[in-house]
Amino acid sequence: MSARNGVLSDTRELRVVGFLCNWCSYGGADTAGVARFEQPTDLRIIRVPCSGRIDPLFIMRALVSGADGVLVSGCHPRDCHYAEGNYYARRRLELLKQFLPITGIDPQRFEYTWVSASEGARWQEVVTKFTNRIHELGPAPRMQGGSGYDELCLKQIEEGVKQGPACPCHKERAL
Amino acid sequence: MRIGVFVCHCGSNIAATVDCPSVAQAAKLFPDVVFASDTMYACSEPGQDAIIQAIKEHRLDGVVVASCSPRMHEPTFRRALERAGLNRYMLEMANIREHVSWIGKNKELNTVKATELVRIAAAKLRLNTPLYANQFDVTKRVLVIGGGVAGIQAALDCADAGIQVIMVERDTSIGGKMAKLDKTFPTVDCSSCILGPKMVDVAQHPNITLYAASEVEEISGYVGNFDVKVRRRATYVNWDACTGCGLCMEKCPSKKSYDAFNEGVAPTAAIGISFPQAIPKKASINAEFCMKLQKGKCGVCAKICPTKCIDFEQQDTIVSEKVGAIVAATGYDLFDWTVYNQYGGGRYPDVVTSLQYERMMNASGPTAGHIKRPSDGKEPKRVVFIQCVGSRDKAVDRPYCSGFCCMYTAKQAVLTKDHIPDSDSYVFYMDIRSPGKGYDEFTRRAQEQYGVQYVRGRVSMIYPKGDVLVVRGADTLAGTQVEVEADLVVLAVGIESSKGAPHLAEKLRISYDHYGFFMEAHPKLKPVETNTAGVYLAGCCQGPKDIPTSVGQGSAAAAKVLTLFAKDKLESDPQISRVNQNRCVGCLKCTMTCPFGAVKDVKDRAGNTKAEVVETVCQGCGICTVTCPHGAIQLQHFTDNQILAEVNALCQPEMEF
Amino acid sequence: MSTLEQLKEQIRKALPDLDVVIGWEQGYDAMHATPLFIRTEEDIDRLIWSPLCVHSLGTYLTGLTKTPNVRKVGLVVKGCDSRAIVQLTQERMIPRENIVLFGVGCTGCLSHARLEYKVEQGGHYVEDMHSITFNGDKVEVAVNGDVESFDFDTVCLEKCLTCRFPNAIATEHFAGEQVPVAPKCEKAPSLEAFEKLSLEERFAFWQDQMRRCVRCYACRNTCPMCVCRDHCISTSRNPHWVSQETSSAENFMFQMIHTMHLAGRCIECGECQRACPVDLPIMLFRRTMVHAMKDTFGYISGADPEATPPLLTFKVEEDNIKERGW
């Protein structure tokens, strides 16, 4: 039984991680479930008390460790159960969104949104839209290789030497 | 750690689309899992007993239940753990019903997903620690926001039980919408005769403090200990001195003031008491129409007032109150029907709302109970009622049913016949919704006994012809067009959330839906609770309701308040932030982001600044944990390590099962 | 009187009230300066001020002000250095009242990495450089008997090309003339060049770069804004953000932590990149975050001691964050 190898090649799932606040979006996902709104199955939800609890580094950690997409959802601005959590979250997440491109990680693989506990239909729409987007992007590239002159590095050097001067590991100085 | 996993079938709710036994089988391979089984109903008594037995038999010190949403049954399973001698926080739930079995039909994929959710839960559980609640004092006073019938009921029930009640009412009098009604269905008894005594009780009850013409300005604190600031609006009348004699109202030269209580059916004076039964029976000035306040000239009321209580300099004042619980009973407002151009969009004076009609029929109303056409004051002989105006209409973003319009329309048609025996009434309706005790009998009586003509269909337009209005619509039962010449058209206007309801919800930190109605904690099992502990709902602020249901909910909310206050101490939720003072460098960034002021600075023995969490104030949001760069302040039960464990359980190189 | 003489004079006058004043002195060769801890009058004579004085001395402050027997500290600061002090003051990380700043105006600092690269390109060995002269826009290096001349702009630190704060701000003393604010470019050329790459190329680049990281933490230890010191979450088990595995991914994760923790705090001193023994271009991360902060919140860190960093506050309606149609 495997979601990752050939058996399910047609419906091959991707690794989509959701961080949801307990009060609004997790409730919204429950509401969608209660209403039997069918959704793509890729998403795995991690429940946190508030979107203000979501450290952008959790998202970074997930993306670095092999998530193909990360979806964050909290209460609508002004509706935070803790009054202000989503305002802080909004700033943190927006910065992350703007920062991601420099790392080469596609910012499309990360999205944040606001869904209330009553918006089951909206949750269905958000999950479907996001999961479809991740499927269009395909599996995320994984950052490979150990540190220093490991096997992969030596192979790259070998190839680099064939192509011309300079070791690929040291091909650029700081500017 | 020794973890036990219980995978619930929930009958066929989960088992139909998730292979529960194989989820349990797979879970046995997860780190620290020593026992796993599947069970038909984990929440049932035998289900819980099986968990307790397994805890004892396998010496489990942590439990994963894979079943429904933790928002549903987390408390249930926590209690089960406690019965088995474990700490209640050694439980994790995997939501394999709402988030898996109910949203996908592919059994294979669902089983993989369910297994992974169990994996996340088990990974987090490995880092759970027992948490213990502390106790804190309760302020046994309750704030009731809104003085309609629901709020009045809640206030009286609490007050009778010996609880101090603070009632805040936005209008100058309590009574709400019910006070405006003439008669009530299905008994057709006088509204103010049944509400009036309750209003008086509120005024006279030693345990009730009433702030009319007031609004809630600010709410801080938490269950058991809320701090409330109430803005008492300037009424320009010193209420301590006002006797309610009404002399000012008679002498006021500005007689063109909008009469909100009478729904603008007739104008009123700029100073006065909104209606004869008003509680408190005190005068107030409508500043918009007062010549003295607008132009600085007049002051007749001040001259003739026998107690000299007019004060044109009066300012808003803020009073602070401490309460332990809050009941929101802010009621509703009428939908603004003038968006319907087909009904004249407000241009025809003889098209009125049901509530205006109610005032016209009321003996103490502006027409002294005589039904008169607003245009020429003649008695109408043909009255057309149109139902579902601003209800069940997606075009105006009001897809919901307002619930009580069918009934009050029937009542008004019956009363029309009583007032004007030689009149004819027509009702255009979509469906008749009369599911209360004695309700359907009543609508039938309107048709059969009173001869009210019910036409099933929508009205497509109203246009004036001479001094009558032509109402053109469809009769969908006969399959024909109908045209009725009416002297008066009454619109059964639907309801919407009270003006400013979302704003109040934000202050209360409760959720509201798209239409501004407050969200209950559970649509069936917690209809008066909210997701904010200590805040309860009563009446139409939660959704459309008729009088009996509103009263019932008022009592229900009171019961919840009394249950809360039955204990002398409340238990604090131990899922709060804690500071590891060894790691804290004293930058106090956490104090800047905490929305509750729950982090304070202290000095350690060496005199270094450190952060410290005030246990009873912390609400457990975790904003501080993200703010702290060195991970010194950690939200218990949702620590960095616990969430990282969940992420790591989910994202790892080529995960295989 | 030259800037250096003025500076020495100011320090001489203030020294009796101070436990230590930190500046720079000539290092182990002609190319390098090294931090100087002035405790006595004689120490003052060794003080130098030149484009070799690259170190941001504010890094010492958080540790030093907690050291027993050190009550008042003096510090010589360039423009960028002074921004670190402002930022630390804002965050209440240093007792500002016990710190005396001696500000100078700066026309740019030497990038040893770029100079060495140039020298090597000219067919020489770095080890053979034996003297350096700063002559207006030119830098003259005596190497192996030859004198090589370079434009200063080609061998200065990259931050100096975009510098908007050449003069130390919020200082107690200021030596020499105010240097005119004249950034050579809006955006760092390396960032501009990097942004031309596709996402795939960028990702491959970092994968390549990150495998060279040896996790020596020099970037962290030299950063004046890294105040966690012994409690850095990159080297802790609780919380345990980064594993001990030295793979590209984990090294990258460490850099992400550093970048996120500098969001709204980084004053672009570039010390992290300068200190990196394997020359990882990590300033690309920092600068991107600095630009995001400026674009989204209009915030420049280390410019105003009274300001609140954007991540510690919020607006109910954000000016530049669009609520996505999600």
Side-chain angles (χ1 to χ4, degrees), chain A residues 107-147:
Chain A
Q108 296 274 81
R109 293 189 184 278
F110 160 62
E111 198 58 74
Y112 66 94
T113 179
W114 320 113
V115 175
S116 82
S118 65
E119 295 174 326
R122 181 170 149 75
W123 176 248
Q124 177 194 34
E125 190 192 314
V126 165
V127 174
T128 310
K129 206 162 127 188
F130 186 71
T131 312
N132 286 343
R133 185 206 268 181
I134 298 302
H135 275 270
E136 275 163 30
L137 293 170
R142 299 288 290 264
M143 202 166 263
Q144 282 164 347
S147 128

Side-chain angles (χ1 to χ4, degrees), chain A residues 15 22 30 39 44 78, chain B residues 69 71 103 116 506 640:
Chain A
R15 181 73 29 207
N22 178 51
D30 281 357
Q39 299 155 37
R44 310 283 186 264
R78 292 171 191 277
Chain B
S69 171
R71 285 163 56 96
I103 60 163
E116 287 191 12
E506 283 154 22
D640 282 345

Side-chain angles (χ1 to χ4, degrees), chain B residues 115 141 177 183 228 317 332 443 561:
Chain B
T115 310
R141 306 174 85 220
K177 297 286 187 296
K183 303 280 192 319
V228 184
T317 52
Y332 66 93
T443 52
V561 172

Side-chain angles (χ1 to χ4, degrees), chain B residues 162-236:
Chain B
I163 304 293
Q164 290 287 323
V165 180
I166 315 296
M167 179 179 268
V168 174
E169 167 58 51
R170 182 158 62 180
D171 286 340
T172 51
S173 167
I174 59 170
K177 297 286 187 296
M178 187 178 170
K180 299 186 181 191
L181 305 182
D182 178 29
K183 303 280 192 319
T184 54
F185 61 79
T187 46
V188 201
D189 47 353
C190 159
S191 183
S192 64
C193 307
I194 53 176
L195 181 66
K198 277 186 180 288
M199 290 166 63
V200 174
D201 285 350
V202 169
Q204 294 181 345
H205 208 296
N207 287 344
I208 299 180
T209 310
L210 173 61
Y211 295 122
S214 301
E215 278 173 71
V216 171
E217 179 87 0
E218 197 184 306
I219 298 168
S220 59
Y222 50 95
V223 57
N225 294 281
F226 291 103
D227 289 301
V228 184
K229 288 205 172 93
V230 177
R231 174 179 291 272
R232 305 196 67 186
R233 277 199 324 272
T235 56
Y236 307 102

Side-chain angles (χ1 to χ4, degrees), chain B residues 405-445:
Chain B
C405 324
C406 289
M407 292 307 298
Y408 75 61
T409 301
K411 173 196 74 183
Q412 289 179 342
V414 165
L415 289 173
T416 305
K417 196 78 178 169
D418 281 347
H419 277 81
I420 314 165
D422 60 340
S423 66
D424 292 319
S425 291
Y426 298 81
V427 175
F428 284 87
Y429 70 102
M430 287 165 71
D431 302 291
I432 296 172
R433 301 196 162 177
S434 51
K437 194 175 172 184
Y439 285 12
D440 204 54
E441 295 92 315
F442 183 76
T443 52
R444 291 203 148 271
R445 206 158 72 233

Side-chain angles (χ1 to χ4, degrees), chain C residues 127-294:
Chain C
E127 290 74 11
D128 295 336
M129 294 193 289
H130 47 80
S131 85
I132 185 163
T133 323
F134 297 98
N135 195 355
D137 292 345
K138 296 285 175 195
V139 181
E140 281 152 15
V141 184
V143 54
N144 235 356
D146 292 345
V147 174
E148 295 263 2
S149 175
F150 306 108
D151 282 343
F152 184 71
D153 286 351
T154 63
V155 292
C156 70
L157 288 170
E158 199 181 9
K159 66 172 173 182
C160 305
L161 297 174
T162 55
C163 180
R164 291 187 170 278
F165 292 84
N167 300 300
I169 55 170
T171 59
E172 280 73 18
H173 305 278
F174 193 88
E177 299 289 310
Q178 292 272 334
V179 171
V181 181
K184 302 278 186 320
C185 39
E186 272 296 305
K187 204 175 211 175
S190 62
L191 182 58
E192 205 145 348
F194 190 78
E195 284 179 344
K196 294 203 172 80
L197 300 182
S198 69
L199 287 172
E200 290 74 20
E201 288 169 318
R202 294 179 198 185
F203 192 80
F205 174 82
W206 289 120
Q207 175 170 294
D208 225 19
Q209 292 292 322
M210 284 305 147
R211 54 197 295 115
R212 300 195 306 147
C213 171
V214 293
R215 290 263 278 285
C216 65
Y217 301 114
C219 50
R220 179 190 76 187
N221 296 350
T222 191
C223 173
M225 301 317 301
C226 277
V227 293
C228 304
R229 300 287 144 182
D230 295 345
H231 305 307
C232 174
I233 61 165
S234 306
T235 46
S236 99
R237 287 284 180 102
N238 188 14
H240 194 181
W241 283 90
V242 193
S243 87
Q244 279 74 2
E245 182 189 321
T246 52
S247 59
S248 309
E250 292 304 291
N251 297 345
F252 178 74
M253 189 63 204
F254 162 67
Q255 286 301 337
M256 290 304 102
I257 290 175
H258 198 174
T259 309
M260 287 301 163
H261 282 185
L262 285 173
R265 307 174 65 229
C266 178
I267 39 87
E268 293 176 275
C269 66
E271 286 290 89
C272 49
Q273 184 165 318
R274 189 185 63 78
C276 179
V278 293
D279 292 333
L280 294 177
I282 43 183
M283 277 303 285
L284 291 173
F285 292 143
R286 316 283 188 261
R287 290 206 171 98
T288 305
M289 193 53 102
V290 166
H291 283 297
M293 273 288 164
K294 200 171 163 218

Side-chain angles (χ1 to χ4, degrees), chain A residues 1-5 7-8 13 15 17 19 22-23 26-27 29-30 33-34 36-39 41 43-50 52-55 58 61-62 65 67 78-79 81-85 88 92 117-118 142, chain B residues 13 69-71 74 95 98-99 102-103 105 108-110 112-113 116 506 509 512-513 519 531-532 592-593 595-596 619-623 625-627 634-635 638-640 643-644 646-647 650-657:
Chain A
M1 187 174 74
S2 165
R4 288 231 149 212
N5 57 29
V7 187
L8 298 165
E13 284 196 331
R15 181 73 29 207
V17 182
F19 292 95
N22 178 51
W23 301 101
Y26 197 91
D30 281 357
V34 171
R36 311 295 197 278
F37 291 147
E38 210 167 324
Q39 299 155 37
T41 51
L43 180 76
R44 310 283 186 264
I45 291 171
I46 293 176
R47 180 168 72 128
V48 291
C50 175
R53 174 66 190 94
I54 301 165
D55 197 319
F58 287 136
R61 183 73 261 183
S65 302
R78 292 171 191 277
D79 287 356
H81 180 75
Y82 302 101
E84 298 172 356
Y88 288 107
R92 294 164 180 163
S118 65
R142 299 288 290 264
Chain B
N13 276 314
S69 171
R71 285 163 56 96
E74 200 171 51
N95 184 347
E98 281 86 344
H99 292 188
W102 277 354
I103 60 163
K105 294 201 180 79
E108 199 171 354
L109 287 178
N110 280 357
V112 173
K113 183 171 178 182
E116 287 191 12
E506 283 154 22
R509 297 198 298 275
Y512 55 93
D513 67 14
M519 285 278 287
N531 275 327
T532 300
M592 294 174 75
T593 54
F596 310 100
Q619 299 291 294
C621 61
I623 297 172
T625 311
V626 185
T627 307
Q634 291 285 340
L635 176 60
F638 292 95
T639 61
D640 282 345
I643 298 173
L644 282 169
E646 292 180 273
V647 173
L650 212 46
C651 306
Q652 30 177 256
E654 294 306 302
M655 197 151 74
E656 297 280 345
F657 291 108

